[in-house]
């Protein structure tokens, strides 16, 4: 009995320990869940040189449901933000860790304070520590790299602007626009016949009866034209107003059609009106075909009777339904749209014709190439007539005036060492559209007493041109003198050259200019297409202003 009681007592104590342990674990979890966010920041270095970058990292540890907002934009002034990397997220033990890294830099030397940054977590603001960043200068070896004064700016005259092509084009466009407006879009005054044609059928019929009353037919005993016009007025009115085939019907046929419309309820006319109308039509038939001559009073009475018939018919027509009115409106809109389309088609055809005639006339006067360049432009023309740039390139300097600035080209240092060259500056500009290429190279030999070998250099250039696809090269050479009196070697000629990034070849010319003295050599290579006159003028201008300095 005592043995059983000890077992039950031991089991109760064990359950109590398990309960207490679970309670502790739960308390720790709740405490950790209720723990606030933790913000840490760091940089990979506090010392950089001008233009180098530092990595500023912010770490935020918070609950997985927290909303965290990092700073954006240029909030790191005086440091500049180069890039903000994507946020890295890690979840561990029910907590979330966010890592945000910024790349920062500065282009002026000095000591800068990286300001505190505000991190927003669930609407509450938390701030990082401020840090001191030192930015040092880049060391320059002035003994190996010579320094020179900044060159003074030079005034360059703008190329004269040729206004006549623009004035001619504006005049032609104004003439075309005026013609199109006058003939197709101008509101033309309507003639009397057009104004009458626009009147409603009833008003037009009454107007024509008034004109018939004022006509000299009855005075001249011209009963046939009088009755012909009288019946024509009423027949035209009936055909338009009640849409009955009246002009092509005989008297009996017309009366029968009107009776059918009256019986169908489409025309509310009294029987006496139709009988009177039939008598007038029969009298008109006798006058027109049997040469009958009624009295003048009878003719006047018949005209007044027709007037009454028109009025009664107009009054007897039922009012159109809303559906019929909509159909009429849709028809009128469709008709107007068709008229507009017709006018636009005529205007388009006329405009195309004028443009074709103008183009043919301009080609006959100025030539196809000039007209083409005026309309579509020309890369060669743009180069020649653009704003030119005068600058010096390399050391010893080569002075050039070119349509565009020449860009420096990188030269592998091992090639310089192998060729016995201490320093070499290479500059180049190429416009494949215009077919113009400009190359300038200035080099200083490692042996300051070495004389340049012009012939060998020319051979190397020609070999390189052939390796790049040049064929049928014709070579000439002569002495060349710059505008300042510096003498050198000029090698020039023609050939077929391959366009960049293409297998297509074109006819072209080239010029190689070489200058030099003890310890240095300067080289200028010009090549251009010869299928237009603008390239020739461009090369001439470059050669006229080219100069070199021979002092090392």
């Amino acid at each position: 009995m005592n043995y059983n009681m000890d077992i039950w007592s031991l089991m109760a104590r064990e359950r109590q320990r398990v309960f207490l342990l679970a309670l502790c674990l739960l308390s720790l979890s709740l405490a950790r869940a209720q723990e606030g966010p933790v913000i840490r920041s760091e940089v990979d270095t506090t010392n950089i040189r001008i233009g180098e970058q530092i990595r500023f990292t912010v770490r935020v540890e918070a609950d997985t449901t927290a909303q965290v907002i990092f700073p954006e934009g240029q909030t790191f002034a005086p440091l500049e933000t180069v890039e903000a990397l994507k946020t890295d997220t890690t979840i561990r033990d029910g907590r979330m860790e966010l890592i945000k890294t910024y790349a920062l830099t500065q282009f002026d030397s000095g000591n800068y304070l990286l300001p505190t940054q505000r991190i927003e977590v669930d609407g509450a603001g938390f701030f990082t520590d401020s840090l001191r960043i030192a930015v040092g200068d880049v060391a320059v070896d002035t003994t190996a790299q010579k320094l020179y004064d900044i060159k003074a700016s030079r005034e360059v005259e703008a190329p004269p602007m040729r206004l006549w092509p623009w004035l001619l084009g504006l005049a032609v466009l104004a003439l075309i626009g005026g013609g199109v407006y006058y003939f197709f879009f101008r509101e033309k005054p309507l003639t009397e016949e057009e104004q009458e044609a626009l009147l409603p059928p009833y008003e037009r019929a009454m107007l024509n009866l008034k004109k018939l009353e004022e006509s000299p037919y009855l005075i001249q005993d011209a009963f046939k034209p009088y009755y012909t016009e009288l019946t024509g007025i009423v027949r035209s009115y009936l055909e338009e107003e009640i849409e009955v085939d009246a002009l092509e019907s005989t008297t009996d046929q017309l009366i029968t059609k009107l009776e059918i419309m009256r019986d169908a309820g489409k025309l509310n006319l009294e029987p006496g009106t139709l009988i009177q109308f039939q008598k007038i039509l029969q009298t008109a038939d006798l006058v027109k075909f049997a040469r009958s001559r009624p009295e003048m009073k009878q003719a006047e009475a018949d005209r007044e009777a027709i007037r009454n018939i028109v009025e009664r018919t107009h009054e007897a027509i039922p009012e159109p339904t809303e559906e019929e009115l909509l159909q009429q409106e849709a028809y009128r809109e469709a008709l107007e749209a068709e008229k507009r389309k017709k006018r636009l088609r005529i205007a388009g055809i006329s405009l195309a014709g004028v443009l074709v005639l103008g183009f043919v006339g301009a080609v006959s006067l100025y030539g196809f190439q000039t007209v083409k360049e005026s309309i579509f432009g020309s890369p060669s023309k743009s180069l020649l007539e653009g704003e030119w740039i005068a600058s010096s390139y390399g050391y010893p300097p080569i002075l050039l005036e070119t349509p565009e600035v020449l860009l420096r080209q990188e030269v592998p240092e091992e090639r310089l060492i192998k060729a016995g060259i201490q320093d070499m500056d290479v500059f180049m500009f190429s416009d494949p559209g215009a077919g113009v290429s400009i190359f300038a190279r200035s080099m200083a030999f490692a042996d300051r007493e070495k004389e340049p070998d012009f012939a060998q250099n020319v051979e190397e250039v020609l070999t390189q041109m052939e390796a790049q696809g040049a064929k049928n090269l014709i070579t000439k050479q002569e002495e060349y003198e710059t505008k300042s009196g510096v003498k050198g070697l000029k090698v020039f000629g023609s050939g077929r050259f391959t366009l960049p990034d293409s297998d297509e070849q074109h006819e072209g010319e080239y010029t190689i200019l070489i200058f030099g003295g003890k310890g240095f050599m300067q080289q200028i290579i010009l090549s251009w297409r010869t299928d237009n006159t603008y390239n020739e003028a461009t090369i001439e201008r470059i050669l006229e202003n080219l100069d070199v300095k021979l002092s090392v």
Side-chain angles (χ1 to χ4, degrees):
M1 184 67 177
N2 293 334
Y3 175 75
N4 292 332
M5 290 180 61
D6 291 340
I7 293 176
W8 286 109
S9 176
L10 181 62
M11 292 178 63
R13 286 196 297 271
E14 187 67 25
R15 283 196 298 269
Q16 186 178 10
R17 283 197 297 269
V18 172
F19 174 75
L20 291 175
L21 180 60
L23 185 61
C24 291
L25 292 176
L26 179 60
S27 300
L28 289 173
S29 299
L30 290 175
R32 184 169 180 82
Q34 294 175 357
E35 183 182 347
V38 179
I39 312 296
R40 296 188 300 274
S41 62
E42 61 183 11
V43 293
D44 60 344
T45 180
T46 57
N47 292 275
I48 61 172
R49 289 183 294 180
I50 292 175
E52 290 183 343
Q53 296 180 9
I54 64 173
R55 297 280 175 165
F56 176 69
T57 303
V58 179
R59 301 176 184 271
V60 178
E61 183 179 347
D63 187 55
T64 55
T65 60
Q67 183 179 11
V68 181
I69 300 177
F70 290 95
E72 296 181 358
Q74 299 293 340
T75 63
F76 299 91
L79 298 178
E80 296 182 16
T81 304
V82 178
E83 182 182 14
L85 303 180
K86 292 183 178 180
T87 304
D88 186 16
T89 305
T90 303
I91 297 177
R92 185 186 302 109
D93 297 334
R95 297 278 285 179
M96 172 178 64
E97 184 182 33
L98 304 178
I99 302 175
K100 184 74 171 181
T101 301
Y102 300 87
L104 309 176
T105 189
Q106 175 57 249
F107 295 96
D108 290 325
S109 61
N111 293 316
Y112 297 93
L113 182 67
L114 175 60
T116 59
Q117 300 296 310
R118 186 178 190 274
I119 313 298
E120 187 172 312
V121 181
D122 289 334
F126 299 86
F127 295 89
T128 64
D129 295 330
S130 60
L131 298 170
R132 183 71 62 179
I133 304 298
V135 181
D137 288 320
V138 177
V140 179
D141 186 1
T142 57
T143 60
Q145 176 65 46
K146 295 181 174 59
L147 301 179
Y148 305 94
D149 292 336
I150 299 175
K151 293 183 178 295
S153 61
R154 295 177 56 186
E155 294 290 336
V156 180
E157 294 184 2
M161 183 177 179
R162 294 189 293 178
L163 295 177
W164 68 264
W166 297 98
L167 295 177
L168 177 62
L170 290 176
V172 171
L173 290 177
L175 182 63
I176 293 173
V180 170
Y181 170 77
Y182 183 83
F183 290 106
F184 301 106
F185 296 100
R186 179 177 62 94
E187 292 291 337
K188 302 175 184 177
L190 299 177
T191 62
E192 184 177 354
E193 292 79 7
E194 291 174 336
Q195 292 177 356
E196 292 179 8
L198 294 176
L199 292 174
Y202 171 73
E203 295 180 11
R204 188 163 64 251
M206 300 304 289
L207 178 63
N208 290 333
L209 288 173
K210 179 67 175 177
K211 289 183 178 181
L212 182 62
E213 181 182 354
E214 297 172 354
S215 68
Y217 290 144
L218 296 182
I219 299 175
Q220 300 171 357
D221 291 336
F223 291 101
K224 182 176 180 179
Y226 176 83
Y227 273 94
T228 301
E229 190 168 334
L230 179 64
T231 55
I233 291 172
V234 68
R235 285 174 179 270
S236 297
Y237 167 72
L238 293 174
E239 185 155 319
E240 291 187 57
E241 190 74 283
I242 63 176
E243 297 181 357
V244 63
D245 188 10
L247 294 173
E248 303 297 330
S249 301
T250 64
T251 297
D252 294 337
Q253 290 173 341
L254 179 57
I255 297 300
T256 302
K257 293 176 182 178
L258 294 177
E259 289 176 346
I260 294 173
M261 293 184 68
R262 180 194 63 188
D263 296 340
K266 296 181 179 180
L267 189 64
N268 300 323
L269 283 178
E270 298 178 357
T273 302
L274 286 179
I275 294 173
Q276 185 183 21
F277 184 40
Q278 184 177 17
K279 288 181 180 180
I280 296 173
L281 292 178
Q282 290 172 350
T283 301
D285 291 340
L286 291 174
V287 171
K288 290 188 289 184
F289 303 112
R291 297 184 180 182
S292 174
R293 293 176 58 84
E295 295 182 359
M296 183 178 294
K297 291 183 179 180
Q298 178 65 36
E300 292 176 349
D302 289 344
R303 186 187 66 242
E304 292 302 318
I306 289 296
R307 188 191 305 275
N308 292 332
I309 291 171
V310 170
E311 291 177 350
R312 292 173 186 172
T313 306
H314 180 67
E315 295 172 356
I317 298 174
E319 291 294 330
T321 64
E322 184 177 355
E323 183 178 355
E324 290 174 340
L325 291 174
L326 291 175
Q327 290 177 351
Q328 292 175 5
E329 182 66 23
Y331 174 75
R332 283 194 294 270
E333 291 178 356
L335 191 61
E336 287 297 325
E338 185 62 30
K339 289 181 180 178
R340 287 194 297 269
K341 289 181 181 179
K342 184 177 180 181
R343 287 198 298 266
L344 290 175
R345 282 196 297 268
I346 296 175
I349 294 173
S350 302
L351 179 61
V354 171
L355 291 176
V356 170
L357 290 176
F359 179 77
V360 172
V363 169
S364 61
L365 287 174
Y366 306 107
F368 176 78
Q369 189 66 25
T370 302
V371 174
K372 176 185 175 183
E373 292 170 352
S374 299
I375 297 175
F376 300 105
S378 167
S380 302
K381 184 179 180 182
S382 300
L383 276 183
L384 178 61
E385 298 180 352
E387 183 177 353
W388 283 48
I389 299 170
S391 183
S392 65
Y393 299 92
Y395 182 81
I398 300 173
L399 309 179
L400 290 173
E401 184 176 342
T402 55
E404 298 285 345
V405 66
L406 276 61
L407 301 180
R408 180 182 291 274
Q409 308 296 309
E410 295 294 333
V411 181
E413 187 174 353
E414 56 270 15
R415 286 181 55 188
L416 301 182
I417 298 174
K418 185 177 180 180
I421 299 174
Q422 179 181 348
D423 189 22
M424 181 165 65
D425 299 314
V426 179
F427 303 87
M428 185 176 179
F429 165 75
S430 179
D431 189 332
V436 174
S437 178
I438 307 170
F439 179 90
R441 178 168 61 182
S442 181
M443 64 186 75
F445 302 133
D447 183 2
R448 293 302 179 91
E449 298 299 321
K450 179 181 178 180
E451 292 284 350
D453 189 342
F454 288 0
Q456 180 183 355
N457 185 261
V458 169
E459 187 65 29
E460 291 175 355
V461 172
L462 294 176
T463 301
Q464 186 176 7
M465 292 171 64
E466 291 178 343
Q468 294 174 350
K471 297 180 180 179
N472 304 329
L473 292 178
I474 298 176
T475 302
K476 303 176 184 178
Q477 73 177 43
E478 62 185 18
E479 188 180 72
Y480 183 82
E481 184 174 344
T482 67
K483 61 181 182 180
S484 63
V486 178
K487 294 183 179 181
L489 175 66
K490 176 181 179 181
V491 178
F492 59 99
S494 61
R496 292 186 61 82
F497 299 89
T498 302
L499 294 174
D501 302 325
S502 172
D503 294 332
E504 180 184 354
Q505 286 198 327
H506 62 84
E507 296 292 335
E509 295 184 5
Y510 68 92
T511 293
I512 305 171
L513 300 173
I514 303 176
F515 306 89
K518 284 186 178 182
F520 71 93
M521 185 173 64
Q522 298 148 308
Q523 182 187 78
I524 301 98
I525 303 174
L526 308 174
S527 62
W528 65 97
R529 293 175 60 166
T530 55
D531 53 0
N532 64 69
T533 58
Y534 298 110
N535 286 346
E536 296 285 346
T538 298
I539 298 302
E540 288 179 5
R541 181 172 174 180
I542 294 174
L543 293 176
E544 287 175 359
N545 295 281
L546 181 149
D547 206 351
V548 296
K549 293 185 178 181
L550 302 183
S551 60
V552 179

